[in-house]
Amino acid sequence: MGEEETVQQNIVHSGIQSKADKSPVTVADYGSQILVSLALMMEVSGPFSLVAEEDSEELRKDGAEEILEEITDLVNETLVDDGSYSMSFSKEGILSAIDNGKSEGGPTGQHWVLDPIDGTKGFVRGDQYAIALALLDEGKVVLGVLACPNLPLSSISNPNGSSSGDRIGALFSATIGCGAEVESLDGSPPQKISVCSIDNPVNASFFESYESAHSMHDLTSSIAEKLGVQAPPVRIDSQAKYGALARGDGAIYLRFPHKGYREKIWDHAAGSIVVTEAGGIVTDAAGNNLDFSQGRFLDLDTGIIATNTQLMPSLLKAVQDAIKEKNHAASLL
Ligand SMILES: Nc1ncnc2c1ncn2[C@@H]1O[C@H](COP(=O)(O)O)[C@@H](OP(=O)(O)O)[C@H]1O
Ligand SMILES: [Mg+2]
Ligand SMILES: [Mg+2]
Ligand SMILES: [Mg+2]
């Protein structure tokens, strides 16, 4: 069993903290960020720039000693088990390792983009989550890797469980201009993947967040109805949605955060290149490509949608009609 799965099963309340924006963060989020950035620093030559979700700020405050100790133990145990690095961290070393390479990204140069645990709420619930890593080069995503330890390797028939006999754990990867692939987490040969070729929305299904606080389920159901989608929504946490879409488990991805929320680049960089390299299209609600060159945030016309080339024109129209209708209804209140 992987270290992260062990942590997922053993996570206790003390290992889950609330961040300033009230979202949860766990020992696994911090631990994963340290381990992935450590591996990157060992491999990457030259300057190391990392735009990552977590930082050490909360852990430096009074009252965080216990969680800092848990993270230190977790990282050191993982390094011993793995055997690739002969090193161990002090608590101070852990704090500085979390901020390794800390950067704001931007339009020039190369920046790694990391979401060490994407879908923390899913992780804590025992459902889907992903470790998402991407590389920005001159403001464009050129590489993406998405590890989904709880996602069935071949396809999801039952989103939070497994179909009988299916292996669990999928690693998606994509390089600009070279397509997208999936392989098992224990190293089976990679298989090329592509988005589904459905062109009639009646046969399409759509992915959205499990958490209604992350995406407006009423708006997405109105979009689906306008399109003529018959199947109920497939609600799963994290960028596992992008991976599942990229290999054709479903046809459409919808994400409509509530007013005022600003999307972060690490929530979409890896997932979006996996989908586009699998032949799909990812845009905002106005049909614009996502712009990863503006720092930590994505500046966009609220909403992110993804599908294949055949369905995109009708999806975009349904999205715009549903938004217009919602705004009109709100103006009458
Ligand atoms: N109010 C909100 N609206 C939209 N997204 C939110 C949100 N609060 C948190 N998120 C983001 O939604 C991500 C999870 O998306 P999903 O619902 O698809 O699993 C979170 O990633 P983390 O779990 O990495 O913090 C977080 O960045
Ligand atoms: Mg988070
Ligand atoms: Mg995330
Ligand atoms: Mg995260």
Side-chain angles (χ1 to χ4, degrees):
M1 193 187 296
E3 196 71 31
E4 228 127 31
E5 289 160 72
T6 318
V7 177
Q8 187 179 29
Q9 283 168 12
N10 294 340
I11 207 145
V12 285
H13 193 69
S14 66
I16 308 168
Q17 306 284 104
S18 247
K19 294 206 276 191
D21 66 359
K22 304 277 191 293
S23 66
V25 60
T26 75
V27 290
D29 297 66
Y30 290 117
S32 168
Q33 181 156 321
I34 291 168
L35 293 166
V36 176
S37 66
L38 193 64
L40 280 174
M41 278 170 56
M42 300 282 185
E43 298 296 325
V44 173
S45 52
F48 176 58
S49 168
L50 178 68
V51 188
E53 180 180 0
E54 312 304 344
D55 62 42
S56 67
E57 196 184 327
E58 296 291 323
L59 296 176
R60 292 179 189 273
K61 292 184 178 161
D62 287 348
E65 294 81 8
E66 196 185 338
I67 188 170
L68 178 58
E69 189 144 353
E70 281 185 52
I71 298 162
T72 311
D73 292 346
L74 174 65
V75 169
N76 287 334
E77 280 163 24
T78 309
L79 290 171
V80 169
D81 287 353
D82 180 78
S84 315
Y85 311 105
S86 53
M87 59 194 298
S88 88
F89 285 92
S90 63
K91 285 189 238 166
E92 195 48 49
I94 285 286
L95 291 172
S96 62
I98 290 172
D99 298 330
N100 267 336
K102 193 170 167 41
S103 123
E104 296 286 310
T108 56
Q110 288 201 330
H111 309 278
W112 292 93
V113 179
L114 174 65
D115 194 335
I117 300 261
D118 180 39
T120 302
K121 288 188 171 172
F123 179 80
V124 170
R125 232 190 287 111
D127 289 341
Q128 295 300 330
Y129 66 98
I131 294 116
L133 177 69
L135 178 62
L136 287 185
D137 186 28
E138 304 295 309
K140 281 204 155 33
V141 184
V142 293
L143 182 80
V145 183
L146 209 53
C148 306
N150 280 346
L151 198 71
L153 179 58
S154 56
S155 145
I156 31 171
S157 39
N158 173 8
N160 290 321
S162 57
S163 49
S164 60
D166 198 358
R167 293 167 68 193
I168 302 298
L171 180 73
F172 299 91
S173 56
T175 311
I176 192 105
C178 298
E181 297 179 333
V182 70
E183 63 198 272
S184 72
L185 285 173
D186 51 20
S188 64
Q191 310 270 321
K192 282 265 175 215
I193 52 171
S194 53
V195 293
C196 74
S197 53
I198 289 175
D199 57 5
N200 185 347
V202 170
N203 304 320
S205 63
F206 73 95
F207 295 108
E208 67 177 344
S209 288
Y210 178 94
E211 299 286 338
S212 56
H214 294 177
S215 183
M216 294 184 280
H217 289 172
D218 56 343
L219 181 62
T220 55
S221 84
S222 149
I223 294 165
E225 193 183 314
K226 285 184 192 309
L227 261 176
V229 168
Q230 307 281 302
V234 181
R235 292 183 173 146
I236 60 176
D237 301 280
S238 83
Q239 290 170 69
K241 289 186 277 297
Y242 281 119
L245 182 86
R247 68 179 181 195
D249 291 4
I252 296 165
Y253 167 105
L254 299 174
R255 181 181 184 90
F256 289 88
H258 295 265
K259 204 170 163 50
Y261 181 77
R262 292 179 77 194
E263 295 280 8
K264 325 290 193 312
I265 58 172
W266 53 77
D267 278 324
H268 302 281
S272 66
I273 190 173
V274 167
V275 168
T276 53
E277 284 299 319
I281 306 178
V282 183
T283 74
D284 70 6
N288 301 309
N289 291 332
L290 306 188
D291 177 3
F292 290 92
S293 74
Q294 301 298 309
R296 296 162 73 80
F297 295 99
L298 279 172
D299 238 345
L300 44 75
D301 197 326
T302 297
I304 296 180
I305 60 178
T307 188
N308 61 23
T309 48
Q310 300 91 308
L311 285 172
M312 191 46 109
S314 41
L315 174 60
L316 203 50
K317 180 164 188 327
V319 163
Q320 287 170 359
D321 289 350
I323 291 175
K324 231 179 270 165
E325 211 171 277
K326 188 178 164 78
N327 290 343
H328 181 64
S331 74
L332 297 177
L333 288 177

